[in-house]
Every structure is written in structure tokens, then in C-alpha cells.
Amino acid sequence: MATAARTAPVDKRRVILDAAVRVFGRQGFHHCRVSDVADEAGVAYGLVYHYFNSKEEILNTLFLERWEIMLEAITEIDERDLPVRDKLYSIAGFIIDSYRHDPDLMKVIIVEVTRAANSFGAAHLDKISEAYERIAAILEPARADGSLKSGIPAEFAAMCFYGAIEQLLTGWIFGLLPTTDEEFERAKGLVVEAICGGLESTPAASA
Amino acid sequence: MATAARTAPVDKRRVILDAAVRVFGRQGFHHCRVSDVADEAGVAYGLVYHYFNSKEEILNTLFLERWEIMLEAITEIDERDLPVRDKLYSIAGFIIDSYRHDPDLMKVIIVEVTRAANSFGAAHLDKISEAYERIAAILEPARADGSLKSGIPAEFAAMCFYGAIEQLLTGWIFGLLPTTDEEFERAKGLVVEAICGGLESTPAASA
Amino acid sequence: MATAARTAPVDKRRVILDAAVRVFGRQGFHHCRVSDVADEAGVAYGLVYHYFNSKEEILNTLFLERWEIMLEAITEIDERDLPVRDKLYSIAGFIIDSYRHDPDLMKVIIVEVTRAANSFGAAHLDKISEAYERIAAILEPARADGSLKSGIPAEFAAMCFYGAIEQLLTGWIFGLLPTTDEEFERAKGLVVEAICGGLESTPAASA
Amino acid sequence: MATAARTAPVDKRRVILDAAVRVFGRQGFHHCRVSDVADEAGVAYGLVYHYFNSKEEILNTLFLERWEIMLEAITEIDERDLPVRDKLYSIAGFIIDSYRHDPDLMKVIIVEVTRAANSFGAAHLDKISEAYERIAAILEPARADGSLKSGIPAEFAAMCFYGAIEQLLTGWIFGLLPTTDEEFERAKGLVVEAICGGLESTPAASA
DNA sequence: GATGAATGAGCGTTCATTCAT
DNA sequence: AATGAATGAACGCTCATTCAT
């Protein structure tokens, strides 16, 4: 296993992308220079432009790479034969684990793209809303079969669900919520319980 | 009383702030110049710096002005003698009406401050989290008296509630959700129903 | 007459244009930096961009300013009641005096615009060819009245005439021809004699 | 003899030079990248630097190659036993045919070198003026034997002659003059007639 | 208060050149 | 010879901020 290549075949493009995640996450897209990314990656300034046409393209690449994975994950989850609540738990779990695994990347995606309505958010509107639509697609059949309230439109419910999760991520990003593994795990169940079961205690539940 | 001033006593500082809302909303804080604000306000470039020390101070002022009003509104709502669900409805109503009344301002506050974890969001962390805390303060007694599930921490529930609302605002900002008055009104009830009552249909509800 | 303003009301825009002439003339448009122009003008870097949108706009401005003057001069000369040869002498005189008066400006116009087929020359093709056309317009009636050979098209003749003059300017620019006042004056007569009378000696002329 | 090499023995250096002519001609020396030349030549970026020390050296090579040929042509023409007018016709013919045969090359030489007083023109001043001198060397004896006017210095006349021709080339380059074979042929005669015989009609000529 | 010319640091991007393979 | 990734200095342009009037 240690018999890898003498000289590790580093993919400089990948190195630059990974460095950009750290730099964008630390300083923010607008508050860092391309040279910061190059320095962090340990490559020459110009190499960044050898692989990317602009600073923006780096961010776009990071976003699209990760967002596509999430969209596929949602689709894959939808195809499973599970109750809605379990599907939503899986989605919440995927997103939260994504953050746990690479908080900087998720921070960049959320702060610089998803929530940046004036700049990159607008540019990737289609991709972003595709996530809401796929979640809504999970909810819709459940409304039909009576397991979800028919009075709440699926698109609306999807927004609430996703919004709650993103708010939790924001809480972790901002340091407002504790970031232990237990908390992450607990959050998965709580957010689903809050959204699906509601905050209010029910007579049956209290019984 | 109709004999107001010959020359309307315009508050140039106010004019600049209002212009900044429109410009920041339209172009984004980072994609506009101070001169754009001055032009929009119809004042000379330098006058902006007569009233504000920096471009950032304009944004900070806009945020703090409005956020304070919201904090006071939450507090005032909490002091009313109402069931928790009605209090949450009032808060959702206040925020949604704020957006309806001045969408640019709310867009700026949310996009440029509340969700900008790397820049202004970090700077105003205290103020921002105060909102969550005040909402949590509403939820906590309700958990104690049994009207809300005790298994979901109030802080957590507050985040979910606020996150759902902010996501709706984002949907309106992005043009993903319809922005008619009916929709705004409907959303107030739906978001509370979704969060308090939950998405899942209950036997009692279906009966 | 010395009682002008205490502080001379300098037109910084003009100062920058004049400095650009010297810098472009000395180093060439492509081999100088905008900071060189600013330094030469004794103004801050940014002021150049306060008055001009780009480095290119400075050159365009210089060219158009001067070229327009030349076009008007040609037109004015044409309107005089003079034999063709005298009109051509006046044009040669105007151009040569222009060079004598401000060699850097003419150098810039010729080297960077008029003869730069790939860049600015192409951009100002209309203006440049207008000069040829106006000269041709002077020649054409003279062909009709028999004072010029009818076998040589006016446009063609205009090109030869202008080309000969510009070549002389190039000779002065390059330092290939002497640049004394006497030489300039002599050149005016010689170029007209060469083009109108021809290089070949005629029996009559030798008689 | 039809059994040429299986693999044509392409001279990559030549391929690069020919590609450079096309690229410099199309985009201009300053507006193209070395990679454009490499791409046009179909060779690797680095190979350009294997054969040439710099981008400038490519242009210098192109200029010197061609200019030397022209100088030799002028010398050869001068050695013929012909009237001066016929010698000038041969020179005009050689230059015009050069343009007709390879317009890009002539365009590059004229636009980027001959008329670029600030950069390459200055560097090749000696070579360039050698052309004027050789033409002047043809004219001088003709002044002595009375076939050319003695009042016009040979150097001056040479400049006018060369200037007229170069102006015609410029007209073709700029698309101001038609570029049919007939026009090229006609131009040879016209330019000589204009310069040697003069534009003015003579009593003898009109008789 | 009000104006807008003036300042200059900063940054994104380009691209000629080098060099390891 | 041939490749193209890697380098980094250079430069055009932006724009927040200052300041003289």
C-alpha cells in the first residue's frame, strides 16, 4: 500500500480547487485574492489561470461539483422504498454529513452561492431550485396517499424543510450551535421531527 | 399646516440610506460603487462621506435600524397574552409584511448581512442571534406548559422556524415563489401550520 | 497681462493629453504604461481614468482631435480660388507645419494610428480615408479642366501624393532626413514639384 | 522521384514562421500570443522557443528574410541596362508582386516593422534606409545624365517614390483600393507615370 | 452642508518565457 | 526534437476614500 508512485501524481487542478475551498471559506470569496488561493495551493499565480478562466470559474466549479452530487443523492434517496419521513431523514442526513465532512466547502456553497441572491445565487438559480423541486417531488406522492397534509403544497413544504436545514448549517457555520458528532446526529432526527411531526405536542404523543 | 417649508426639508442622510437600499438590492453590496448610491440619491459623491464614514457603515446602519425594529416587535409580541402558535404567527406575519412593504431592504439585510457568514454576518453575529434567542424565549415556556414538545430544544426549534421563514423570503427574492398579497397572507398561516402542526397528517386532523 | 489668476486654472484633462503625446511619442503606445502617462502629466494614476475610459481612448482622442483639424484645413484649402498645384502645396505645407509644430503628436498619429493597420488604423479607417477622398476631390476638377492628366485616377493620385508626404514625415521621425526649418520649407516645394511636375526633366523645363 | 519521403520532412521552423505570418497579419504582432502562433503552426507551445529565442525574434526573422530579398532585387534591377523609368517600374513591380504573392507577409513587414517607428522600425533602421539608398543610387546617375530633374535630390525623390508605393500597399491592406490582378498591374504603370511623369498634363502630352 | 476632482492602493488577468520530462 | 505544465512579473483598470473649494 506504500508502494505508490515515487512522485505522487498530484493533480494541480484539484489542489487549486481544494485550496480555494479553504481560502474562500476562511476569507470569503470577495475578501480574498487569487494570489491567496495560489499561495494556499502552493502553486504559482499563473497556474490558477492555466486551469481556470477566472476567479469566478473556480467558485462555479466548486458549487456545481458538489451540488450535482447532492441532487443525485436526493434522487437516489427518492427511489428507495421508504416512508416520506425516512426519505427526509436521509436527505437531512446527507446534507448534514456533507457539512460535517467538509464544513468549508458547504460554507462556501451556502454563503457564496446558495444565499447570495445578487451574484452567484442568481447565476445558479436553476440548479439551486432543482433541489427544492426534487424534494417537493418526494413530498407530493405522500400528500396523495394521505401521509402528509394535503393543505400544505409540496413546494412550500420543501422550502420549509430545506430552509430549516440550511438554517442549522448556518448556525454551525456561525458557531451558534455546537458542532460535536452527537449534535450532528441528533440534529438529523430533530429537524425531521420538527418539520414532519411539528413542534406542538399532540394528545396521542403525550399519552 | 399646509404651509410647510418652501423648500421641503429633505433629510439627505435619509435620502442616501433609501437610495442605498435600492442600489444594494439591485446590484448587491459588492457589485455597486459608492457613486452608484450617490447617483441614485441624486447627491454629490462626497456627500455620502459627509454622512457616513464608509460604504460599509451604510450597510451597517441599514441593518441595525431594521433589525432593532424586528427585535422590538418580537419582544412586544412575546408580551402579549396569546397561545404560542399565535405568537409565532405574529412573528411570521411581521417578517413577511416587512418584506412585502420593502422587499429591497429585506433582501439587502438577508442577502448581504444575515446570510453573509464571512463578512457582515460575522460582524453582526450578536444582533442576529438575539433574534433566535428571543424566539426561543417564546418557545421555552410553551415547552414547560406542555403545548410544545419537550423533546425539541427551544433554540433548535427557533432556528427551524426562522430558517423556514427566511427560506420563503429567499424564494420570493429569487422569484421562485409567487409574490401576490394572497400568497403572502397564505404563507403566514402555512409556515406556522407546517412548523407547529407538522407536515404529517394526524388521525384527528383527517377525522 | 501678468495679472492672470493667482493659481493658473490648469485643465488636467489637457495636461494628460499633452503628456500622453510625449510618452506615446517617446516609448510608443504599446511600450508605455498608463502610469508613465500619469507621471509625465504629474497627476495621480486614477485621474487618467477619471477623464478617459481607457488607455486607448486617450489615443483615439488625440487622433480625432488632430485629424479633424487636418480635414477642415483640406476643405478650407479646397475652397480657395487657386490652381491645383497651389492647393497641393498648401496641404503639404499644412501637414509639414503640423509636424514641425508638434512632431510628437504627428509621430503618434502616423505611427500608432494611420499606419497601424491591425489596430487603431482599422478602427479609424473612415476618418483616415476621408483625407484621401478630400484630396481626390481637389484633383478631380483639375483632371476635368485638363490641368492634370486624365489617365491617372484622382483617388490614385491622391494616395501617391499623401504617401509621398507621409514618407517624408517618416523620414524626419526616423531621423533619416534633416529637420531644419529650411529643409521643411524646401520639402514643401519639392514634394509638390516631384508629384505634380514629375521627377523627369522636360525639354521645356530644361530649355 | 514520386517516391518522396513517406513522412514529409517538414521543417518545423519554417512551419512556425509561416504560421506567424498569418497570425501577425490577422491579429497584429501585439494582439497575438505566442500560443496563437503555435496553434496556427500545429506545434507545441514550447517548440516555438526551441527555434526562436523570443516572440520578437520571429518577427525580426520574417522581416530580415524578406527585406534582404528586396534589397537584392533592387540591386539586381539597378545592374540592368535600362532607362531609369524602366528600373523604377521594375522595382514597383517587384514590391507590388511581393504583396500580391504574399499579402500577409508584406502587411506584417510594413505595418509591424517599416512603419512602426517606435519599436521594430527603429531597430531595423539601417536595413530599412538601405532600401531608400539603393533607390536613390538608381536615381542619382539619371540626374547626372539629365533624364531626371537635377533640382530634386535623389534621396528625396527616392522617398517620394517609395512612399507612394507603400501608400498603395496600405490602401490594399486597408481595403481602400481594389485588389484584382488588373489593378495590381495597372498600379505598376500608374505609380511610375505619376512619379516620373508627374500628375500635371504637359502640352506635349496633350498634343 | 455640498461638490466632484484628485488620490493611489489593490486586484484580476495576461502572457512571454522557462523547464522538467 | 518535442511537449505543455509551471512560473511570476507586468499592466490595465476599479473604486473606496480624501480634500480643496
Side-chain angles (χ1 to χ4, degrees), chain B residues 28-49:
Chain B
F29 181 81
H30 283 99
H31 288 86
C32 79
R33 299 174 277 186
V34 173
S35 68
D36 293 332
V37 175
D39 290 349
E40 177 81 23
V43 302
Y45 203 136
L47 198 62
V48 176
Y49 282 90

Side-chain angles (χ1 to χ4, degrees), chain C residues 39-160:
Chain C
D39 290 349
E40 177 80 24
V43 302
Y45 195 116
L47 197 63
V48 175
Y49 284 91
H50 182 76
Y51 287 110
F52 302 95
N53 289 315
S54 68
K55 188 184 172 189
E56 298 204 350
E57 195 182 284
I58 301 175
L59 180 57
N60 289 337
T61 302
L62 289 172
F63 167 73
L64 290 172
E65 269 187 3
R66 188 69 208 170
W67 201 254
E68 208 59 55
I69 291 173
M70 191 186 75
L71 291 179
E72 286 165 14
I74 295 174
T75 300
E76 188 270 325
I77 288 165
D78 189 20
E79 288 164 352
R80 294 185 207 163
D81 185 24
L82 289 173
V84 226
R85 187 186 269 241
D86 291 356
K87 287 186 178 179
L88 293 183
Y89 180 88
S90 296
I91 292 174
F94 179 85
I95 296 175
I96 290 173
D97 284 341
S98 293
Y99 179 75
R100 178 153 51 165
H101 176 257
D102 194 342
D104 277 338
L105 177 56
M106 289 300 280
K107 178 179 179 181
V108 168
I109 287 172
I110 290 171
V111 171
E112 307 291 353
V113 185
T114 290
R115 303 199 158 191
N118 286 312
S119 45
F120 295 97
H124 294 295
L125 197 49
D126 290 350
K127 274 289 165 212
I128 293 172
S129 55
E130 204 175 321
Y132 310 147
E133 290 161 12
R134 294 203 190 186
I135 294 174
I138 292 179
L139 302 179
E140 190 54 36
R143 286 178 71 232
D145 72 19
S147 51
L148 291 188
K149 285 172 188 159
S150 59
I152 304 177
E155 299 76 22
F156 190 94
M159 297 288 272
C160 291

Side-chain angles (χ1 to χ4, degrees), chain A residues 19-151:
Chain A
V21 167
R22 295 191 295 278
V23 174
F24 291 170
R26 187 192 314 136
Q27 303 170 237
F29 180 82
H30 284 99
H31 288 86
C32 77
R33 301 177 258 179
V34 174
S35 67
D36 293 332
V37 174
D39 290 349
E40 177 79 24
V43 302
Y45 199 123
L47 198 62
V48 175
Y49 284 91
H50 182 75
Y51 287 109
F52 303 94
N53 289 315
S54 68
K55 189 184 171 188
E56 298 204 350
E57 195 183 285
I58 301 175
L59 179 57
N60 288 337
T61 301
L62 289 172
F63 167 73
L64 289 172
E65 269 188 3
R66 187 70 208 171
W67 201 255
E68 209 59 56
I69 291 173
M70 191 185 75
L71 290 179
E72 286 165 15
I74 295 174
T75 300
E76 187 270 326
I77 288 165
D78 189 19
E79 288 164 353
R80 295 185 206 164
D81 185 23
L82 290 172
V84 224
R85 186 186 272 241
D86 291 355
K87 288 185 177 178
L88 293 183
Y89 180 88
S90 295
I91 292 174
F94 179 85
I95 295 175
I96 290 173
D97 284 340
S98 293
Y99 180 74
R100 178 155 50 167
H101 177 258
D102 194 342
D104 277 339
L105 177 56
M106 289 300 281
K107 178 179 179 182
V108 168
I109 286 171
I110 290 171
V111 171
E112 307 292 354
V113 184
T114 290
R115 303 199 158 192
N118 286 312
S119 44
F120 294 98
H124 294 295
L125 197 49
D126 290 350
K127 275 288 165 215
I128 294 171
S129 55
E130 204 175 321
Y132 310 148
E133 289 161 12
R134 293 202 190 186
I135 295 174
I138 292 179
L139 302 179
E140 190 54 38
R143 287 177 70 232
D145 72 20
S147 50
L148 291 188
K149 285 173 187 158
S150 60

